[in-house]
Amino acid sequence: MAENAPIFIAGPCVIESAELLNTVAKELVRLNAKLGIDIIFKASFDKANRTSINSFRGPGLEKGLQMLQDVKAKYGLRILTDIHEAYQAQPAAEVADILQIPAFLCRQTDLLVAAANTGKTVNIKKAQFLSGLDMQYPVQKVRESGNDNVWLTERGNIYGYNNLVVDFRNIPDMKRFTSTVVMDCTHSVQRPGAAGGKTGGNREFIPAMALAAKAFGANGFFFETHPDPDHALSDGPNMLYLNELEDVVASLL
């Protein structure tokens, strides 16, 4: 992989089954070999911030981490997963190469410190209610805890009315604080709560979101992807079809 190649992160929103993880992992391995890249595998063991209490959350910490470890061992992919509480940081770090802080939680000091203390790369998603410049403070919390391996991720801002708006100026603003700024190309097309107790979305805008972010200097790209997103158990309307991932990634190389 070229030294300055962009970072790619891809995978299903939540762990639904071992079969789904294997299907996505096989495609990422194929793309890595074909395109000469190193896509990081992403999936969540628990979605703790679903719209409805009745929504599917995932297999939980212990089982979910074991399933991610199986993917890592079988396919040799690096792993990214998100944590929601400080106690999850250390066990997740035993499997994951990158710990992700969800956008809603990016100001949670104990969570940031716990992630930092693992020594793993910490990917902090910018809150929907913060500007890019505001993200200097979460970065500071991680670095002052002794960890310089910190990324920031743009995912849009929310103004109510079930919609998100991306201000791409946030990307160069956040690059003031870290050399790695990722564009979350799929969560940025969400329509939060717009699908009757669950999140809607407009996946048709994903390729354009990625290209616009590249123009503004993003050097990482995050895609939630699924072979059948219309029947996914979380975030289906804003996930990319797995068979479309290659074209979108290739457009960014």
Side-chain angles (χ1 to χ4, degrees), residues 95-170:
V95 175
D97 302 275
I98 299 100
L99 297 180
Q100 182 164 277
I101 307 300
F104 286 123
L105 301 177
C106 74
R107 292 178 54 154
Q108 295 294 105
T109 301
D110 289 347
L111 184 62
L112 290 164
V113 171
N117 286 342
T118 68
K120 295 300 178 83
T121 297
V122 181
N123 182 35
I124 311 172
K125 299 186 76 172
K126 181 184 72 63
Q128 299 91 327
F129 48 84
L130 294 179
S131 71
L133 293 175
D134 290 326
M135 293 306 292
Q136 63 185 297
Y137 303 108
V139 169
Q140 185 180 50
K141 290 177 182 180
V142 173
R143 288 192 171 139
E144 291 192 3
S145 300
N147 188 339
D148 287 329
N149 299 315
V150 57
W151 301 350
L152 291 174
T153 293
E154 167 62 32
R155 53 99 71 245
N157 284 81
I158 193 163
Y159 298 94
Y161 306 103
N162 309 114
N163 209 354
L164 289 167
V165 176
V166 177
D167 181 349
F168 288 97
R169 295 173 297 181
N170 285 326

Side-chain angles (χ1 to χ4, degrees), residues 19-204:
E19 179 183 12
L20 173 64
L21 298 188
N22 285 324
T23 297
V24 175
K26 287 176 184 176
E27 177 64 2
L28 299 192
V29 169
R30 185 187 74 83
L31 293 180
N32 283 343
K34 180 176 180 178
L35 301 175
I37 55 177
D38 179 23
I39 305 177
I40 300 163
F41 185 95
K42 180 270 172 185
S44 298
F45 55 80
D46 180 23
K47 299 298 293 184
N49 55 357
R50 296 301 306 274
T51 302
S52 169
I53 195 170
N54 298 313
S55 296
F56 180 77
R57 289 182 52 166
L61 180 68
E62 185 175 351
K63 183 177 179 181
L65 288 177
Q66 182 58 60
M67 294 171 80
L68 291 174
Q69 178 59 47
D70 291 345
V71 168
K72 189 173 191 176
K74 186 173 182 180
Y75 299 101
L77 294 165
R78 290 192 290 161
I79 301 293
L80 178 149
T81 197
D82 39 14
I83 58 173
H84 292 84
E85 299 187 60
Y87 79 88
Q88 297 173 339
Q90 192 56 51
E94 294 175 11
V95 175
D97 302 275
I98 299 100
L99 297 180
Q100 182 164 277
I101 307 300
F104 286 123
L105 301 177
C106 74
R107 292 178 54 154
Q108 295 294 105
T109 301
D110 289 347
L111 184 62
L112 290 164
V113 171
N117 286 342
T118 68
K120 295 300 178 83
T121 297
V122 181
N123 182 35
I124 311 172
K125 299 186 76 172
K126 181 184 72 63
Q128 299 91 327
F129 48 84
L130 294 179
S131 71
L133 293 175
D134 290 326
M135 293 306 292
Q136 63 185 297
Y137 303 108
V139 169
Q140 185 180 50
K141 290 177 182 180
V142 173
R143 288 192 171 139
E144 291 192 3
S145 300
N147 188 339
D148 287 329
N149 299 315
V150 57
W151 301 350
L152 291 174
T153 293
E154 167 62 32
R155 53 99 71 245
N157 284 81
I158 193 163
Y159 298 94
Y161 306 103
N162 309 114
N163 209 354
L164 289 167
V165 176
V166 177
D167 181 349
F168 288 97
R169 295 173 297 181
N170 285 326
I171 293 169
D173 280 348
M174 291 194 293
K175 289 188 83 171
R176 302 183 192 191
F177 316 123
T178 178
S179 60
T180 302
V181 173
V182 179
M183 181 67 198
D184 186 339
C185 305
T186 45
H187 285 97
S188 59
V189 300
Q190 277 184 337
R191 301 293 301 274
K198 57 185 179 180
T199 291
N202 296 101
R203 71 171 68 95
E204 65 270 22

